[in-house]
Amino acid sequence: MNLFLTTEGELSWDFTMANYDAVWSFLVQIGLLLIFLMLGNTLRRKIPLFRKILIPSALLGGALLLLVDFICKQIGFTLVNNRMMQVITYHCLALGFAAMSLKTEKATHKTNKAQVLEFGALQGGTYMLQAFVGLGITIVLFLFTKHGDNIISYICGLILPLAFGQGPGNALSWDINFTNTPAAMFSGNGSFGLSLASIGFVVASVIGVLYINVHQKRGDLKVREGITNNQNSEVEDPSNIEIPDNESVDKFTIQAGFVAIAYALSFGFMYLLGIISNFTNSIAWGFNFLWASLFAMLIKFVVKQLRKRKVMNRVYINNYQMDRISGFAFDIMIVAGVSAIEINDIRNYIVPIIILSVIGALVTHLYIRKVSKECFKGFEHEFYLMSFGTLTGTASNGMILMKEVDPGLKTPTSSLYILSNFPAMVMIAPLLFLLGFAGKSLTNAIIACCIFFVLWLVYSIFLFRRKIFKKHYKDKPVVEWVDEKE
């Protein structure tokens, strides 16, 4: 946008298409995301197949935008700014995690501490399983192709747990990190990770729905009664001490402010890590979602202490609106992530994408199914659907699948998920901190693959300890949840 002096000596703006990038580009791209998200929702509502297999509207919108952009490129017109879409995907992941972490979560069921740890161990074990299987596959593919023209990078399989377990944001971030690491011999340019993440959403929906149909036909899965109608129960705090909607500052603006503070603090922390050393710089920027979550938890703790000491008399953080912020961020992230895929960047990686998707989905299904039957008797199907949806798509996919068979949230599955977030984060941490190490050489990747296998083994021994050490646990049976009304 150009500034120039008028004849009266005042500054004015020159609004012309020459200034499109400076003035309109960002808003046009945001507009495209919202328009195609709505179109995706329309497709889902009007086409029964999409409704039946529970495909997210955001995924449909992103795929439609990708298709329209591809057609536009064939006629010489670029609709989507891929770089901007990647930036939006990167930041929306962190903003969504910050909003989720700011919520004051309360379990709605009595939960067993052992099962909370087991849910955390399952998430950690599934990440490690996906990591060593994915990395193992691409190491083998690399050894077979390293002397050919189309070399398949040994490291790209490590993006599998990030794409399936955490979605487009982190898959994009580490795809680009590996692309910028010469030793990794990888050129995904973000599109490889985004493609895997998009397939993860489809895997979560399709396999989840097939699972429900198969087990309903077998007669061992019934939809539980008790649909709740209190979806808006958290709009206002029942104690009536929340800030009112008619304050001079809108309540939603306050929520957005808390999220912004958490992300600003995380940016400062990442900046400090970046200037300390090359190692800390390598782990700083790729984990923006993690730092945002940690600082959001810190803010939540500080607010809680201020409330205890009567310094703060009102409840400023509203769970319902934080849900809206995280939901908006994740919807936009999915649409932007899918539309940012560059077809030319994944042509040489079609084979590993297919192999990783198929084997990744299979081992994830088998592992979660085994653990569900072992540790979560009485609600193993609900637990499987929540876990599988979350560990191949997002928490939203898991919740949607679980609500198909437990619409009233009668089982403790959702409470266990809430309470297991911290132990899960601790158990997943080794994977996150080995990403940079694994991408520096083939030897490092092999070492990391072995570490992932050992960690998976440790977590699995904990989960199946009762079966492995039968004598020791003969007087301590598996905790079984029973619906009192059944």
Side-chain angles (χ1 to χ4, degrees):
M1 180 166 50
N2 294 327
L3 289 174
F4 63 92
L5 286 172
T6 65
T7 54
E8 290 79 16
E10 296 177 351
L11 287 175
S12 181
W13 289 346
D14 179 17
F15 286 107
T16 66
M17 282 304 291
N19 296 313
Y20 170 81
D21 288 339
V23 180
W24 283 103
S25 181
F26 178 73
L27 283 178
V28 167
Q29 297 301 305
I30 291 292
L32 284 172
L33 293 177
L34 294 172
I35 290 168
F36 278 86
L37 175 60
M38 293 173 70
L39 288 173
N41 188 57
T42 301
L43 284 177
R44 190 178 186 277
R45 289 180 61 82
K46 296 299 182 183
I47 301 179
L49 175 63
F50 292 151
R51 282 202 312 277
K52 288 179 181 178
I53 62 176
L54 305 178
I55 291 289
S57 299
L59 180 64
L60 289 173
L64 186 60
L65 181 54
L66 177 66
L67 176 62
V68 172
D69 182 55
F70 178 77
I71 294 172
C72 288
K73 285 178 179 175
Q74 304 310 303
I75 59 177
F77 175 70
T78 300
L79 182 66
V80 173
N81 184 327
N82 284 58
R83 178 64 176 169
M84 190 175 292
M85 291 300 182
Q86 290 179 350
V87 171
I88 291 170
T89 303
Y90 173 79
H91 289 303
C92 279
L93 176 71
L95 294 171
F97 267 84
M100 286 177 60
S101 301
L102 280 164
K103 287 179 61 182
T104 306
E105 295 283 18
K106 293 182 180 179
T108 55
H109 295 84
K110 290 183 179 179
T111 53
N112 179 275
K113 290 181 180 178
Q115 289 183 326
V116 172
L117 289 175
E118 285 165 350
F119 201 164
L122 168 67
Q123 292 181 67
T126 306
Y127 271 83
M128 300 307 157
L129 175 64
Q130 292 172 343
F132 88 75
V133 167
L135 196 52
I137 288 171
T138 50
I139 287 174
V140 171
L141 291 175
F142 170 76
L143 294 175
F144 275 105
T145 62
K146 65 179 181 178
H147 298 300
D149 295 329
N150 296 321
I151 299 175
I152 295 175
S153 171
Y154 60 85
I155 199 64
C156 59
L158 193 49
I159 298 174
L160 176 64
L162 306 177
F164 272 28
Q166 295 184 335
N170 215 19
L172 165 71
S173 179
W174 280 95
D175 181 321
I176 291 179
N177 277 348
F178 292 143
T179 299
N180 293 332
T181 304
M185 295 179 280
F186 182 58
S187 56
N189 294 312
S191 294
F192 181 92
L194 294 174
S195 299
L196 266 183
S198 301
I199 292 171
F201 292 122
V202 177
V203 166
S205 299
V206 173
I207 294 184
V209 171
L210 286 174
Y211 180 92
I212 293 171
N213 290 331
V214 167
H215 285 276
Q216 281 184 331
K217 286 182 179 179
R218 289 180 181 176
D220 60 354
L221 171 59
K222 295 180 180 179
V223 177
R224 299 183 188 273
E225 296 178 358
I227 299 176
T228 57
N229 294 314
N230 59 341
Q231 294 177 353
N232 295 325
S233 60
E234 290 186 301
V235 175
E236 293 289 346
D237 188 270
S239 58
N240 230 359
I241 53 175
E242 281 204 359
I243 53 173
D245 286 321
N246 58 356
E247 282 279 346
S248 59
V249 179
D250 190 85
K251 186 189 293 187
F252 184 83
T253 307
I254 298 292
Q255 314 308 307
F258 277 115
V259 174
I261 292 170
Y263 203 25
L265 290 172
S266 66
F267 173 79
F269 182 70
M270 289 186 285
Y271 178 79
L272 288 175
L273 286 179
I275 62 177
I276 290 173
S277 69
N278 288 333
F279 171 73
T280 54
N281 182 65
S282 68
I283 65 171
W285 305 102
F287 298 129
N288 64 328
F289 73 97
L290 178 60
W291 313 130
S293 294
L294 292 175
F295 280 105
M297 291 177 189
L298 177 62
I299 290 171
K300 184 167 64 175
F301 174 77
V302 170
V303 169
K304 185 177 180 181
Q305 295 306 309
L306 291 174
R307 290 266 300 139
K308 275 186 177 180
R309 288 166 173 74
K310 306 298 182 182
V311 176
M312 184 181 288
N313 297 318
R314 287 177 167 178
V315 175
Y316 283 86
I317 296 176
N318 182 281
N319 285 357
Y320 175 78
Q321 293 191 343
M322 285 300 176
D323 271 335
R324 304 288 67 76
I325 292 174
S326 61
F328 175 77
F330 289 145
D331 281 340
I332 291 297
M333 177 188 73
I334 295 169
V335 181
V338 176
S339 65
I341 295 172
E342 181 56 63
I343 304 299
N344 290 329
D345 288 334
I346 62 172
R347 283 179 177 172
N348 294 332
Y349 289 98
I350 295 296
V351 172
I353 286 174
I354 293 173
I355 294 174
L356 289 170
S357 299
V358 172
I359 297 180
L362 180 63
V363 298
T364 302
H365 160 73
L366 292 174
Y367 186 62
I368 295 176
R369 182 73 182 114
K370 287 287 186 183
V371 175
S372 301
K373 292 172 71 175
E374 174 67 19
C375 300
F376 301 93
K377 295 184 184 298
F379 59 107
E380 63 184 69
H381 298 300
E382 292 84 355
F383 181 84
Y384 167 86
L385 291 167
M386 179 73 191
S387 301
F388 185 79
T390 300
L391 292 166
T392 52
T394 63
S396 297
N397 293 95
M399 187 62 72
I400 289 169
L401 287 169
M402 191 263 290
K403 282 187 173 182
E404 285 293 307
V405 296
D406 184 16
L409 302 182
K410 294 179 70 177
T411 67
T413 308
S414 57
S415 294
L416 286 171
Y417 178 75
I418 291 167
L419 296 173
S420 69
N421 280 335
F422 182 74
M425 190 180 295
V426 173
M427 294 182 190
I428 293 166
L431 165 65
L432 301 178
F433 289 106
L434 282 170
L435 290 170
F437 169 81
K440 291 180 179 178
S441 70
L442 176 61
T443 302
N444 285 13
I446 294 172
I447 293 171
C449 190
C450 294
I451 293 173
F452 297 143
F453 175 77
V454 171
L455 288 171
W456 170 76
L457 201 59
V458 170
Y459 296 156
S460 298
I461 290 172
F462 170 71
L463 290 166
F464 292 96
R465 63 195 183 281
R466 300 180 186 89
K467 183 174 287 187
I468 297 171
F469 308 108
K470 290 182 180 178
K471 291 183 180 179
H472 183 69
Y473 281 94
K474 64 181 180 181
D475 297 323
K476 296 180 181 180
V478 176
V479 177
E480 182 171 354
W481 180 84
V482 178
D483 188 348
E484 295 178 355
K485 294 183 179 180
E486 288 186 352

